[in-house]
Amino acid sequence: MRLIDLHLPIPYILANKNGEIISYTSKADEVFDLSEGTIKSIVDEGSISKFERVAAIPEKSMRFEANLKTRSIPIALFDIHISWDFQGNASMQFLYKDDDNEPLMEKLQALQNRLAKTDFELYEQKETLEQTLQRLDELSGPFISLTKEICYIPLFGDMTGDKFTTIMEQTLARLSDHDYRWILIDLTAVAKVYNEGTSGLEVLIKSILLMTGGEVRLIGINPRLAKALQPYQLRNVVHTEQSLQSFLQSVINNHAI
Amino acid sequence: MTRGEELAEILLSGAVADAWEYIEQFDYLTNVEIYQDIITPAMVKIGLKWENFEITVADEHLASGVCDFILSRLAAKHKLKPVTAAPTAMFLCLSGEQHYLGLKMVASIFEENGWRTKFLGANLPVQYALQAAKDWKPDVIGLSVSIATHLPTLTEYMEAFSYLPKKPRVLLGGRLTNLYDLASFTAIKPEIISNLYAVDKWITAFNTKGRKNAIN
């Protein structure tokens, strides 16, 4: 075993396939206790099998992780780059790795601390509540087929973005089965209007128009809704009706249903 | 693929919701069965994958984080509200020992049996462990060690606990229990727990013998 005069920034060791060290750099001696003259003496017990397997396929150059014993740390994670020469000796360079994992470890520690403080009873209740809200959203825009030509979607409660995402899914599924001439969206029972809700309504209307050849009619727009919907210029794509009654009356008058 | 292998894949993908969904389908099993027959094999499989050059330590950390979440939810599902007179147990990993998931499962089994527990987690130096034991006077102290390098410190812990005015029963578990004769490492012998079914049995025996009897 001899010290070679090569000033590499990371440890370098040359060993034969039995793991006996042939030569090493001063950096290797600085990091590891090489007094036993074998690679095995610097490898943590849990990583010995990895070295044995690497030695069993000596033709292959590779990089692998292993835990090593350094002069200062009993178990330290390294990336080991290994290549073999024609005599079957292994050149190895050792790159210390724990610093790279440090940020990940810190994040996991934070997660662990948060987990320890989490009240899972509350967490489960929150999940149940979320499912209930989702169900409420589904029920807040029922799809009602009035005649072969007319379908009616009354909306209830606050207009939120989530609600329209849910309603859109069920509405488009129902519309795909059937060609309606008039699709009535009734906003009479709408309470609060949120920005995501109004843009959700716009997306719903435009999706319906894209999917069907029908006409969308908005019913029951009060002054507050009119103001909220004004920026979307829905006038160009939909007609409005004061009430369901007035729409049905005009249809009856024109078509004598 | 075995259940453990299936769970290992999900844990390594980092998908917390998928992992919980996977575990929830086994709600007909007890937590002890889920811990020993699904989660433990999954974590063993992940260790083997590292040994087999398939994954890195960073992948292992991610999988452990997801597994920790699953364990916390499972533990909360069956936790009993302990009565004031319930026996007490505290759990800790030896200094330097980062593998705490097994011990967390053990603590959860004690909680399911109505014990009051304190889980002090990974890497707890002996002086803190001793202080906690002095303050809390537990009936049982559960220790975990998975890396052979940490074994010599076991003696320090055992000796420290032997000076406590109220002598606790000391249980020792972890990966090494199946590989070494751990009791030979220390003059004061801990009771070796080799798997999670053994924890359940130990608690039953403790309850049967009666608390007073078991402590002496």
Side-chain angles (χ1 to χ4, degrees):
Chain A
M1 191 167 78
R2 68 183 176 90
L3 177 70
I4 44 176
D5 185 23
L6 203 58
H7 294 282
L8 295 175
I10 59 170
Y12 167 84
I13 295 176
L14 179 70
N16 66 21
K17 63 179 168 205
N18 298 325
E20 289 150 1
I21 298 171
I22 300 165
S23 54
Y24 59 93
T25 59
S26 55
K27 188 72 186 174
D29 191 40
E30 184 189 315
V31 175
F32 305 111
D33 176 5
L34 303 173
S35 56
E36 287 187 33
T38 64
I39 290 294
K40 203 175 172 182
S41 69
I42 63 164
V43 179
D44 174 64
E45 197 179 23
S47 293
I48 286 177
S49 71
K50 284 187 108 165
F51 275 86
E52 285 169 352
R53 284 154 89 172
V54 169
I57 38 165
E59 70 281 359
K60 209 172 155 191
S61 294
M62 64 186 290
R63 185 187 79 177
F64 64 99
E65 276 184 348
N67 286 312
L68 303 178
K69 301 176 218 172
T70 71
R71 287 187 185 273
S72 53
I73 313 169
I75 298 184
L77 185 68
F78 279 83
D79 248 344
I80 295 141
H81 295 252
I82 186 165
S83 61
W84 301 83
D85 63 21
F86 64 95
Q87 289 172 305
N89 296 329
S91 288
M92 284 173 273
Q93 282 182 291
F94 302 86
L95 197 58
Y96 182 57
K97 218 179 166 184
D98 277 351
D99 289 345
D100 296 347
N101 283 337
E102 202 61 38
L104 179 72
M105 287 295 286
E106 278 168 16
K107 276 184 194 159
L108 274 172
Q109 187 62 46
L111 179 72
Q112 200 187 328
N113 293 344
R114 224 188 114 196
L115 267 177
K117 285 186 202 141
T118 303
D119 182 336
F120 272 85
E121 213 171 304
L122 281 181
Y123 184 89
E124 307 249 330
Q125 278 174 6
K126 184 177 158 268
E127 279 206 334
T128 314
L129 186 63
E130 277 170 0
Q131 283 161 5
T132 312
L133 284 175
Q134 160 92 11
R135 185 78 190 120
L136 268 179
D137 284 348
E138 282 166 20
L139 297 171
S140 300
F143 186 98
I144 303 161
S145 183
L146 290 180
T147 70
K148 275 184 194 166
E149 294 195 304
I150 308 169
C151 68
Y152 178 60
I153 307 160
L155 301 181
F156 299 97
D158 298 341
M159 281 172 69
T160 64
D162 285 347
K163 179 172 283 183
F164 278 101
T165 311
T166 309
I167 291 173
M168 179 136 87
E169 210 171 305
Q170 63 192 30
T171 304
L172 297 184
R174 291 289 299 274
L175 282 172
S176 64
D177 306 337
H178 199 88
D179 277 338
Y180 290 99
R181 185 162 166 199
W182 289 289
I183 297 111
L184 313 178
I185 300 176
D186 194 338
L187 305 170
T188 312
V190 163
K192 260 190 187 166
V193 184
Y194 295 95
N195 283 342
E196 301 83 30
T198 43
S199 58
L201 177 65
E202 184 201 15
V203 176
L204 175 68
I205 292 169
K206 289 184 174 164
S207 306
I208 293 173
L209 290 171
L210 265 177
M211 243 185 95
T212 67
E215 233 179 62
V216 174
R217 301 254 171 157
L218 285 182
I219 297 173
I221 296 186
N222 62 31
R224 199 163 35 87
L225 270 172
K227 208 173 154 193
L229 291 173
Q230 193 273 332
Y232 296 94
Q233 298 182 334
L234 293 170
R235 268 259 170 233
N236 303 332
V237 286
V238 292
H239 297 275
T240 52
E241 290 287 342
Q242 211 170 8
S243 67
L244 177 62
Q245 189 189 9
S246 63
F247 170 78
L248 291 176
Q249 194 59 57
S250 67
V251 173
I252 291 164
N253 292 344
N254 293 333
H255 297 271
I257 293 172
Chain B
M1 269 210 285
T2 63
R3 288 170 180 174
E5 286 167 345
E6 283 172 353
L7 180 63
E9 291 303 318
I10 303 171
L11 294 178
L12 285 167
S13 75
V16 179
D18 290 355
W20 180 244
E21 202 178 312
Y22 183 80
I23 286 295
E24 264 201 315
Q25 64 177 313
F26 301 112
D27 61 356
Y28 57 90
L29 297 177
T30 63
N31 265 1
V32 179
E33 287 168 328
I34 293 176
Y35 292 157
Q36 184 65 48
D37 300 333
I38 303 175
I39 294 180
T40 304
M43 295 313 288
V44 169
K45 177 73 191 171
I46 289 167
L48 288 173
K49 275 179 171 284
W50 181 78
E51 278 184 30
N52 206 25
F53 312 101
E54 291 173 47
I55 57 168
T56 65
V57 167
D59 294 319
E60 282 190 304
H61 285 318
L62 175 66
S64 302
V66 179
C67 188
D68 197 354
F69 176 83
I70 299 304
L71 291 183
S72 299
R73 282 196 78 167
L74 277 173
K77 220 170 154 180
H78 297 285
K79 188 177 173 177
L80 284 183
K81 206 173 177 190
V83 291
T84 325
T88 50
M90 68 175 221
F91 301 92
L92 57 114
C93 293
L94 301 190
S95 183
E97 185 60 64
Q98 298 293 347
H99 298 81
Y100 64 90
L101 292 175
L103 196 65
K104 190 163 178 165
M105 294 191 260
V106 174
S108 149
I109 297 170
F110 273 84
E111 283 172 0
E112 273 184 39
N113 282 279
W115 286 55
R116 283 186 292 147
T117 67
K118 265 196 203 310
F119 183 71
L120 303 173
N123 183 22
L124 192 75
V126 67
Q127 64 270 31
Y128 293 108
L130 187 61
Q131 194 56 51
K134 274 184 188 160
D135 294 345
W136 207 50
K137 304 177 188 67
D139 297 313
V140 167
I141 298 178
L143 301 176
S144 180
V145 57
S146 293
I147 303 284
T149 323
H150 301 138
L151 267 180
T153 56
L154 180 61
T155 309
E156 288 173 38
Y157 285 78
M158 291 308 295
E159 203 180 324
F161 296 147
S162 74
Y163 296 128
L164 286 170
K166 182 189 164 189
K167 302 270 175 298
R169 302 265 300 263
V170 180
L171 307 184
L172 177 67
R175 191 177 65 94
L176 297 180
T177 53
N178 298 320
L179 303 172
Y180 297 89
D181 175 16
L182 291 186
S184 68
F185 274 84
T186 160
I188 307 147
K189 307 271 179 262
E191 296 173 59
I192 308 294
I193 300 287
S194 56
N195 64 52
L196 295 155
Y197 288 119
V199 177
D200 221 21
K201 271 192 195 156
W202 190 94
I203 296 172
T204 312
F206 183 96
N207 292 341
T208 319
K209 280 184 203 162
R211 195 172 150 193
K212 259 192 175 162
N213 215 354
I215 291 166
N216 291 326

